[in-house]
Amino acid sequence: MNPLLAISDLSVTFATDRGQVQALDGVSLSLNAGETLAVVGESGSGKSVTALSIMGLLGDSGRVSDGSIEFDGEDLTKVSGQRLREIRGNQIAFIFQEPMSSLNPVLTIGTQVAEPIWLHHKKSWSEAFEQAGELLRRVAIPDAVNRLEDYPHQFSGGMRQRVMIAMALACQPKLIIADEPTTALDVTVQAQILSLLKNLTKEANSSLILITHDLGVVARYADNVAVMYGGRVIETASARELYKNPQHPYTEGLMASIPKLDGDPGSRLYTIEGQPPDLSNLPSGCSFNPRCPHAQDKCIMTKPTLSEVAPNHLRACFGYER
Amino acid sequence: MSEVTLQAGQSNSLLAFHRRMLRDKPLGGIGGLIFALFLFCGIFADLIAPYGMNETDMRRVLQAPSLAHWMGTDHIGRDVFSRILHGAQLSVIIGFLAAGLATVLSIVLGVLTGYFGGKADMLIQRFVDAWMTFPDLVLLIVVVSIVGPGEGQIIIILGCLYGIAGSRIIRGSTIAVRENMYTHAAQSMGASTLHVLWFHVLPNVMPVVIVLFTTRVGAVILAEAGLSFLGLGIPPPVPTWGSMLSGGGRTYMYVGPWLALAPGLALTVVVYSINVYGDALRDMLDPRMRGR
Amino acid sequence: MSDSNILEVKDLQVHFPVTEGLLKRQVGSIAAVNGVSFHIKRGETFSLVGESGCGKSTTALSVLKMQSVLDGQIIFDGEDITHHSPAQMRGIRRKMQMVYQDPFGSLNPRMKIGSIIGEPLRVHGMAGDKTRYHARIASLMKTVGLLEDMAERYPHEFSGGQRQRICIARALALDPKLIICDEPVSALDVSIQAQVVNLLMDLQERLGLTYLFIAHDLSVVRHISNRVAVMYLGKIVEEADRDTLFKSPKHPYTKALLAAVPEADPEVEAQRAEQLIIGEIPSLRSPPPGCTFHTRCAEAMPICKQQAPDCRTDGASSLVCHLYS
Ligand SMILES: Nc1ncnc2c1ncn2[C@@H]1O[C@H](COP(=O)(O)OP(=O)(O)OP(=O)(O)O)[C@@H](O)[C@H]1O
Ligand SMILES: Nc1ncnc2c1ncn2[C@@H]1O[C@H](COP(=O)(O)OP(=O)(O)O)[C@@H](O)[C@H]1O
Ligand code: SF4
Ligand code: SF4
Ligand SMILES: [Mg+2]
Ligand SMILES: [Mg+2]
């Protein structure tokens, strides 16, 4: 089976005041239909840029300098702007981190949910509005039909994020990309939203890319995981395999540094020394080498590439003795 | 202000600072140079002016610019260049004193109302609202016609006029700074209000103050010119750029265009230079902009 | 009160006015903190957890007297500070310091690091002569793992984790007895969180500090605390020592909160039955009658809608729920 989405060797550069910054350096990912892929990594590791390049939303300063993004048999880096807009509206939907700023404050919720349906599905306005009510009910907004006339500020953060999910689902996309959809919300609401997202995508057999920095969220909701560091994917595997058997020193350190519920409270946590790298000034060779306890001479000279260490388990590291 | 660094960079020397400005912000640097030249001319007008400001020479009336008279002469044979220099002196005095007064007034009003808020702030803001609905020029004309023209009056009137209006801007940024966690942190460590205002609020509204002051210097010079143009400014025969424009400048526009061009250009160049210099100054004094 | 307590808060009430219209007419009030009582022993870490808006920060600010208190009592280090004047509080503030959530906003961008760390000393006239002052700053920086030559730099040159270290150094400058940490690691990356958590624990051991720790990340709370109180809509609903609370939570809200936090282990997650807490936190402007949690409680009974449950306490733990009365 061909994957629904296959990103290979994607490089993205941004033009900044201080010259070209390479935000992505040879990123490769793939995702099958109906699957949930979590992308994890520290702030600035390139998670959002990866998502934005799939959507073709890099803006004026960003540019795909190399690589391809195959979506359902089409290379999104090559298609026309017109075609990209079609795909964006119909087949790929995006859910942003900040549900407040993604809704227009002066339009009612009903109008905003109905509009894309009306636009893309050539339905009458009243039909679209009715369907909007149905969608809001599906995302579990209580008393949905009566709240169509409400404005965004009358909704709580969690409800706004539900609205965003409803809008994303409206056109039955094949792929939903959610960029930290619950970072701004409470844990209780986060659990509600993510379960909802997961169940609805499963029902529709859509795929989901879940961008997050919360390893607990990954463990609960993801099938596969890609770990990013300094603009590169450094390890990918199924969620179970990755947690049980992390193969990259960074992933291993990350797993060890979160307090476990069955861990020893009061003990010291494992720490990855040093700071996340600065993209405009990346170390040579493996960009993790200044923080890596296993770094060798080779790591400073050459960049490791992704290679298989177990079936479906790739890592970018020269290997080390544990 | 030993602890709070308002100086830029490691080098505290004014010269090195401006050399860096010329390199990093050339427009602002050139603005600064012109501003310095203007200050110099203003301060040393008596020494550099080739002729006295009211020295008339009826044999040389309305002469076009020449080597002897760089900017020509006016209708009673006075050297325009010398008069421009003396005008600069007045502009410097009025500009700096009135803008200084305005800025101090704005800071005091803006910082106090912004920081403390409450009922007093409400009342003062309504007053400022009312004040700002009067057109500047009308207010100026009314007041001058009551107290009469003169240097002192003009400084005080312009200072109050711009000071009260500018307090709004300072108040706005004071509120923004007050809401910052670092002012909160200082309060929670037991710092006195004065300490918080001096070390945390003031330095962080300073960028706004700098821009406010420089734009005010420009605005005051323009306003004074406007008043003099209307005959409400400094009484003749003292030369000011405004009265030069309205006097000889307007009457002899066609015979001697240099009479209007010289003060007009001087005004434009100086006011523009001060503004770009102020902008550059604000950017350079921000530690976050260093090394960019 | 016993000497072993550094802080005792009794029946704390903090209300905010609700205003309406242009004239800011007061039309009511909300009880952001509504009868909160707890005590913190010397040298321990006491945590407050709960959803956002439940009153954790307001409680912390009241302890610092940065927030006016409607009713209740705050006893710090054996001294009733509830009605202290600002002047009296100056002395107290030396002994209580705060570390904030946002390491970017809580440092003055126009001050150098050394000057920021030394500020509490200057404020309290304890800077002494120049050499002593600089030596103190250097030693504070060393304590939190910063290099001495960083003192001349500005905050924007530092990363989030380093900034939080600067905030901690500033809080330590006056040798405080109690440090209030309001979500100190929430804004940091996972790999940096562990560094700061370890630092806080090391400092507690070395300097005998007491922490009031506010967080919503329950795994960090469990790791660092001795005792934990769970807040809901301005009230503490359950308080217990760490192991009891995490191993056998009793209050339905505590259980729901624990269930909502995903464990970083897919195997555990696969076995865990997902039990979602329904709805969202109600508005403080119109809190539900009876037990305020009944609108979302899976175990609510008829009495819960009518009558607010009492607090049952046995000294070590306390619980506010009809199921246990
Ligand atoms: N428009 C842009 N111009 C220049 N650089 C950019 C731009 N957008 C992103 N970058 C850079 O690309 C890198 C990756 O950014 P990205 O937003 O993907 O990070 P992220 O992994 O999503 O982090 P976070 O967890 O903070 O959201 C960062 O170093 C960022 O500064
Ligand atoms: N200065 C204030 N004015 C009005 N309401 C406030 C103020 N500060 C906090 N509140 C309200 O009090 C409640 C508790 O807030 P807070 O203590 O900050 O919650 P958290 O538990 O997230 O720290 C919230 O409903 C909040 O909106
Ligand atoms: S390649 Fe070398 S430096 Fe990089 S992670 Fe592997 S061992 Fe460490
Ligand atoms: S008192 Fe009733 S509603 Fe409240 S938590 Fe207990 S069981 Fe639930
Ligand atoms: Mg991002
Ligand atoms: Mg808070």
Side-chain angles (χ1 to χ4, degrees):
Chain A
M1 188 175 80
N2 273 340
L4 175 70
L5 176 78
I7 300 179
S8 40
D9 263 333
L10 185 70
S11 296
V12 169
T13 51
F14 284 100
T16 68
D17 303 344
R18 288 158 293 146
Q20 296 278 317
V21 172
Q22 183 156 22
L24 297 186
D25 177 14
V27 166
S28 298
L29 287 175
S30 87
L31 174 69
N32 291 325
E35 222 176 58
T36 298
L37 171 73
V39 179
V40 293
E42 290 173 305
S43 193
S45 58
K47 308 182 294 289
S48 300
V49 172
T50 306
L52 291 175
S53 39
I54 299 173
M55 298 291 284
L57 293 176
L58 286 173
D60 295 335
S61 57
R63 190 172 63 84
V64 172
S65 55
D66 200 8
S68 65
I69 304 172
E70 292 274 344
F71 175 76
D72 212 13
E74 272 177 286
D75 186 348
L76 299 186
T77 58
K78 303 235 159 57
V79 300
S80 69
Q82 170 63 31
R83 177 77 191 122
L84 199 59
R85 272 190 295 279
E86 273 169 36
I87 294 175
R88 220 187 279 154
N90 280 307
Q91 302 183 26
I92 306 181
F94 203 95
I95 298 172
F96 290 94
Q97 172 170 352
E98 192 23 82
M100 188 58 197
S101 48
S102 346
L103 287 170
N104 185 336
V106 299
L107 295 178
T108 62
I109 296 286
T111 312
Q112 297 189 58
V113 180
E115 193 184 314
I117 306 173
W118 178 68
L119 270 179
H120 288 294
H121 295 269
K122 316 259 177 303
K123 292 206 168 137
S124 74
W125 181 253
S126 63
E127 271 175 330
F129 210 72
E130 200 172 299
Q131 199 178 334
E134 173 58 23
L135 277 169
L136 289 191
R137 204 187 49 70
R138 266 178 73 201
V139 294
I141 288 186
D143 199 15
V145 178
N146 291 323
R147 304 213 58 168
L148 287 171
E149 299 292 341
D150 280 359
Y151 288 89
H153 74 265
Q154 291 165 289
F155 276 37
S156 69
M159 281 161 72
R160 281 187 220 121
Q161 202 57 297
R162 285 172 200 269
V163 173
M164 293 307 297
I165 293 175
M167 289 168 71
L169 292 171
C171 50
Q172 291 162 325
K174 291 182 183 153
L175 172 64
I176 297 177
I177 304 174
D179 190 355
E180 315 227 11
T182 55
T183 307
L185 305 174
D186 273 311
V187 275
T188 53
V189 182
Q190 160 174 298
Q192 295 166 1
I193 299 282
L194 289 178
S195 312
L196 178 75
L197 196 57
K198 178 88 181 169
N199 292 337
L200 292 176
T201 46
K202 203 179 272 167
E203 264 171 42
N205 197 33
S206 305
S207 307
L208 176 64
I209 295 183
L210 184 61
I211 297 178
T212 178
H213 59 251
D214 184 334
L215 291 169
V217 165
V218 176
R220 185 178 282 184
Y221 301 101
D223 303 313
N224 292 314
V225 189
V227 184
M228 294 192 68
Y229 188 85
R232 294 166 67 88
V233 172
I234 50 112
E235 184 163 8
T236 72
S238 73
R240 269 171 195 249
E241 164 81 6
L242 191 85
Y243 281 76
K244 208 164 60 197
N245 188 17
Q247 287 289 332
H248 192 284
Y250 174 66
T251 319
E252 211 184 346
L254 215 51
M255 298 288 172
S257 65
I258 35 175
K260 304 272 181 328
L261 276 188
D262 60 358
D264 179 14
S267 63
R268 295 302 178 264
L269 296 169
Y270 177 84
T271 58
I272 303 175
E273 292 307 322
Q275 307 295 329
D278 171 12
L279 280 188
S280 54
N281 188 16
L282 277 183
S284 66
C286 171
S287 46
F288 187 58
N289 77 57
R291 303 173 77 186
C292 182
H294 310 287
Q296 318 143 27
D297 290 345
K298 187 157 68 168
C299 308
I300 297 162
M301 320 288 287
T302 25
K303 260 186 221 173
T305 51
L306 275 178
S307 60
E308 200 157 59
V309 280
N312 287 322
H313 189 163
L314 312 178
R315 72 158 179 200
C317 172
F318 292 119
Y320 55 99
E321 301 291 322
R322 267 195 275 185
Chain B
M1 289 223 168
S2 64
E3 293 297 337
V4 180
T5 320
L6 282 175
Q7 279 115 3
Q10 287 76 10
S11 68
N12 292 329
S13 119
L14 216 58
L15 205 68
F17 174 72
H18 285 97
R19 206 173 288 145
R20 275 204 305 125
M21 183 186 282
L22 261 176
R23 190 191 63 209
D24 297 341
K25 306 235 168 243
L27 190 64
I30 292 169
L33 277 181
I34 295 178
F35 184 43
L37 190 70
F38 163 69
L39 280 184
F40 180 80
C41 294
I43 295 166
F44 299 107
D46 300 315
L47 299 177
I48 26 181
Y51 303 88
M53 62 180 176
N54 283 317
E55 202 179 308
T56 56
D57 184 349
M58 289 319 252
R59 287 163 305 171
R60 300 172 173 276
V61 172
L62 282 176
Q63 287 203 336
S66 64
L67 271 181
H69 300 279
W70 293 1
M71 293 183 183
T73 60
D74 70 0
H75 56 291
I76 47 176
R78 292 174 296 194
D79 180 47
V80 175
F81 180 57
S82 306
R83 286 179 67 77
I84 289 279
L85 288 181
H86 281 102
Q89 187 166 44
L90 255 181
S91 294
V92 169
I93 295 172
I94 294 180
F96 272 70
L97 288 181
L101 179 65
T103 310
V104 170
L105 201 62
S106 296
I107 293 178
V108 172
L109 263 181
V111 167
L112 293 184
T113 55
Y115 188 78
F116 291 105
K119 281 253 152 45
D121 176 38
M122 264 253 288
L123 286 176
I124 292 175
Q125 289 319 308
R126 295 298 81 77
F127 168 73
V128 176
D129 280 341
W131 182 265
M132 284 176 25
T133 50
F134 283 115
D136 292 1
L137 206 60
V138 174
L139 211 62
L140 272 175
I141 292 172
V142 170
V143 180
V144 174
S145 44
I146 296 170
V147 298
E151 236 174 278
Q153 289 92 311
I154 289 204
I155 290 172
I156 292 174
I157 296 166
L158 287 175
C160 292
L161 185 72
Y162 288 122
I164 292 173
S167 73
R168 243 325 139 68
I169 299 168
I170 304 282
R171 175 176 173 269
S173 48
T174 303
I175 291 177
V177 172
R178 185 191 67 189
E179 296 304 326
N180 266 319
M181 279 329 257
Y182 53 79
T183 39
H184 200 276
Q187 288 164 346
S188 78
M189 75 180 61
S192 63
T193 304
L194 209 63
H195 177 100
V196 174
L197 287 177
W198 186 252
F199 289 103
H200 297 282
V201 177
L202 260 190
N204 283 291
V205 298
M206 226 36 188
V208 184
V209 170
I210 290 167
V211 174
L212 196 67
F213 177 75
T214 48
T215 50
R216 285 320 186 224
V217 171
V220 165
I221 294 176
L222 277 181
E224 185 278 322
L227 278 181
S228 300
F229 187 83
L230 295 174
L232 294 169
I234 315 294
V238 183
T240 75
W241 293 351
S243 60
M244 286 170 74
L245 264 174
S246 66
R250 195 173 40 175
T251 326
Y252 300 96
M253 183 110 97
Y254 297 104
V255 209
W258 57 88
L259 285 187
L261 273 178
L265 267 179
L267 263 176
T268 315
V269 170
V270 165
V271 172
Y272 179 72
S273 304
I274 295 176
N275 284 342
V276 291
Y277 176 63
D279 280 348
L281 208 57
R282 175 198 54 195
D283 290 349
M284 299 265 303
L285 287 178
D286 188 336
R288 283 160 294 193
M289 302 287 287
R290 304 270 166 78
R292 291 250 172 112
Chain C
M1 78 172 261
S2 78
D3 260 354
S4 63
N5 288 347
I6 183 106
L7 179 74
E8 215 171 314
V9 173
K10 290 182 190 157
D11 255 333
L12 188 70
Q13 295 268 358
V14 181
H15 292 201
F16 291 111
V18 177
T19 55
E20 234 179 46
L22 269 178
L23 292 173
K24 300 259 151 61
R25 201 162 42 91
Q26 184 172 348
V27 294
S29 68
I30 58 168
V33 176
N34 192 2
V36 161
S37 307
F38 61 90
H39 60 92
I40 305 180
K41 296 200 193 75
R42 285 175 205 277
E44 76 170 350
T45 301
F46 179 81
S47 291
L48 277 180
V49 300
E51 287 169 276
S52 75
C54 70
K56 307 181 296 287
S57 303
T58 307
T59 305
L61 291 181
S62 317
V63 169
L64 275 168
K65 294 287 305 285
M66 299 279 293
Q67 173 64 61
S68 60
V69 168
L70 181 74
D71 199 12
Q73 205 180 14
I74 302 165
I75 299 164
F76 177 75
D77 208 10
E79 198 176 340
D80 187 338
I81 61 168
T82 324
H83 303 290
H84 267 22
S85 66
Q88 287 170 300
M89 274 313 287
R90 261 176 74 84
I92 301 290
R93 293 232 168 96
R94 276 168 46 183
K95 301 192 244 170
M96 270 198 243
Q97 293 287 310
M98 182 135 177
V99 175
Y100 296 86
Q101 166 170 9
D102 175 14
F104 292 87
S106 52
L107 300 175
N108 186 341
R110 286 169 186 273
M111 276 165 90
K112 289 179 180 169
I113 299 312
S115 166
I116 288 176
I117 294 175
E119 188 179 16
L121 297 170
R122 300 196 306 277
V123 162
H124 288 278
M126 291 164 56
D129 64 73
K130 259 214 155 83
T131 30
R132 284 246 318 275
Y133 173 70
H134 287 294
R136 177 83 180 124
I137 291 175
S139 95
L140 282 166
M141 292 181 70
K142 198 164 149 246
T143 307
V144 298
L146 294 168
L147 302 175
E148 213 177 299
D149 61 1
M150 292 175 174
E152 291 298 306
R153 297 203 209 153
Y154 287 94
H156 69 96
E157 297 171 55
F158 293 87
S159 67
Q162 287 175 317
R163 282 163 177 244
Q164 207 56 299
R165 286 175 197 268
I166 296 165
C167 293
I168 294 172
R170 173 174 65 184
L172 290 176
L174 295 169
D175 286 322
K177 297 188 169 163
L178 175 69
I179 296 188
I180 299 175
C181 305
D182 191 354
E183 312 243 7
V185 297
S186 308
L188 305 177
D189 271 319
V190 185
S191 76
I192 306 302
Q193 278 187 8
Q195 295 177 2
V196 174
V197 167
N198 282 358
L199 173 66
L200 286 172
M201 293 173 79
D202 287 341
L203 291 173
Q204 179 164 46
E205 220 161 74
R206 270 173 42 206
L207 307 173
L209 296 171
T210 309
Y211 293 131
L212 170 55
F213 193 86
I214 296 175
H216 63 251
D217 184 338
L218 291 177
S219 52
V220 171
V221 166
R222 174 178 175 274
H223 192 81
I224 202 171
S225 344
N226 301 97
R227 276 182 317 123
V228 183
V230 181
M231 278 187 84
Y232 188 76
L233 281 187
K235 290 194 169 84
I236 290 181
V237 294
E238 181 168 6
E239 188 202 315
D241 66 77
R242 183 243 335 265
D243 290 335
T244 315
L245 193 101
F246 280 88
K247 289 215 180 79
S248 51
K250 293 205 176 62
H251 196 280
Y253 179 62
T254 313
K255 289 186 206 163
L257 205 57
L258 286 177
V261 182
E263 174 71 349
D265 185 343
E267 314 256 326
V268 174
E269 279 301 329
Q271 279 155 25
R272 231 157 97 163
E274 195 169 49
Q275 51 168 182
L276 290 181
I277 180 172
I278 47 167
E280 289 173 35
I281 194 162
S283 158
L284 274 175
R285 279 189 72 165
S286 50
C291 169
T292 49
F293 186 55
H294 83 252
T295 51
R296 304 168 79 190
C297 180
E299 298 170 62
M301 305 168 288
I303 188 182
C304 305
K305 289 186 191 160
Q306 281 135 32
Q307 196 183 327
D310 291 328
C311 178
R312 286 178 60 87
T313 173
D314 64 355
S317 60
S318 65
L319 197 57
V320 186
C321 174
H322 283 307
L323 287 174
Y324 302 90
S325 54

